[in-house]
Amino acid sequence: MLSRTIRDDVGKLQKSTSRLAEGQRVLITGGAGFLGSWLCDSFVSIAEVFCHDNLATGQLKNISHLKANEHFRFRNVDVSSPEWKANADFDFILHLASRPSPADYQKHPIETLRVSTQGTLNVLELARRCDPIILLASSSEVYGDPAVVPTPETYWGNVNPVGVRSCYDEGKRVSEALAMAYYRQYGLDVRIVRIFNTYGPRIRAKGAYGRAVPRFIAQALSNRPITIYGSGKQTRSFCYVADTISAMIKVLLDKRAKGEIFNVGNPNEISILELANTIVRLTRSRSNVIHEPEGEDDPKRRCPDISKIRSKLGWAPSVKLEEGLKRTLR
Ligand code: UDP
């Protein structure tokens, strides 16, 4: 069963998929993950959804409510394996399979690179056979520690190619290069979204999977210290999940997005210390802040310039941070 908080947003998202995706076959790699499962929910009422996930970071509980739905099929498979095959033709492929949490991908650097390289190649080769529209989920991490903030799509990035984050940053950069190569050489209809920090219901909080927002929420709710890595002056710009998903659907379904790259995020930039204080206030927590060593190569600032998606596709986020945090807390 979907919680009411998710159901309300999913209802709106389903309306945005209705016309163009009706009756279509949609493959979502990483479909049991945080963003992938929101996409499964958004398409399943009108399309045939094929969810492929090896549950490395995805979770069955994100899709368990869809198990009995005849328009939904789940396969526990690794899209980067040489044996991976999809026995169907697809109209849309949304390629999200990846390990996005810094602490987690640093523990699995080879697997992280493999899914961005071999996994993306596998998906693009499949696409040559059935000629779908492909949406590649890329990341703000392609910009590394950017010298230009807010960062537009035209910025080329500032990435340490051998640093601890390189398995993810460089992996996503290769994914993008592969997608554009298939677009140029074979004319595949590829669209790329560079997703900035996203939070909301279903994001994981525990252990290495935990990102700043869910970790701070879990710490605050149990009155444990909030762990800030470094000074807390580093910034991020947090986007509520329903906004991120609505942008992804727009890029997938709007023909003006063919061959284009879009930043997707909320340009409201705040420091990590401010984020911690906001969560402590909203939860009326007794937690205090403690400082732990700064993450290696941790970007100092991150904020998207969203002028391109705003002017070209008319998208902008609508959920303010405090409202999104309240929904996540519920
Ligand atoms: N962070 C933190 N404490 C935590 C988790 C994260 O201070 O318990 C910081 C982290 O060092 C980074 C920011 O919060 O500067 C965002 O981290 P997150 O893991 O959410 O993702 P990132 O933006 O680094 O991909």
Side-chain angles (χ1 to χ4, degrees), residues 141 165 197 211-212 215 227-229 234 236 298 302:
E141 295 245 355
R165 295 177 86 107
N197 296 61
R211 314 290 294 274
R215 275 173 62 86
T227 52
I228 302 253
Y229 302 151
Q234 70 269 37
R236 294 293 186 272
D298 191 30
R302 188 183 288 156

Side-chain angles (χ1 to χ4, degrees), residues 274-322:
E274 252 180 290
L275 172 73
N277 289 333
T278 306
I279 290 173
V280 167
R281 178 167 50 76
L282 292 178
T283 51
R284 299 198 177 93
S285 170
R286 293 192 305 278
S287 296
N288 59 325
V289 158
I290 56 165
H291 292 268
E292 294 192 353
E294 184 183 320
E296 205 177 320
D297 289 347
D298 191 30
K300 286 179 273 309
R301 287 183 68 190
R302 188 183 288 156
C303 176
D305 179 334
I306 59 164
S307 319
K308 182 173 174 185
I309 191 164
R310 197 195 287 273
S311 63
K312 213 168 170 116
L313 305 182
W315 178 87
S318 63
V319 182
K320 294 212 162 66
L321 182 64
E322 289 211 6

Side-chain angles (χ1 to χ4, degrees), residues 156-233:
W156 289 359
N158 176 31
V159 173
N160 176 355
V162 291
V164 291
R165 295 177 86 107
S166 64
C167 57
Y168 190 78
D169 299 7
E170 296 290 14
K172 286 294 182 187
R173 289 169 69 93
V174 173
S175 271
E176 290 197 9
L178 281 168
M180 293 313 288
Y182 275 71
Y183 167 69
R184 294 194 180 100
Q185 195 167 329
Y186 297 121
L188 290 192
D189 185 340
V190 166
R191 297 127 193 249
I192 297 173
V193 279
R194 292 183 180 150
I195 302 170
F196 285 64
N197 296 61
T198 297
Y199 68 98
R202 292 190 189 151
I203 192 167
R204 295 185 79 160
K206 289 203 184 114
Y209 301 116
R211 314 290 294 274
V213 169
R215 275 173 62 86
F216 291 175
I217 287 179
Q219 290 165 341
L221 289 176
S222 55
N223 295 310
R224 282 180 287 135
I226 309 278
T227 52
I228 302 253
Y229 302 151
S231 67
K233 287 189 186 146

Side-chain angles (χ1 to χ4, degrees), residues 13-34:
L13 291 164
Q14 283 176 340
K15 282 197 194 112
S16 64
T17 59
S18 54
R19 207 168 41 85
L20 291 160
E22 200 166 347
Q24 305 285 294
R25 297 162 77 88
V26 182
L27 170 65
I28 302 176
T29 76
F34 168 42

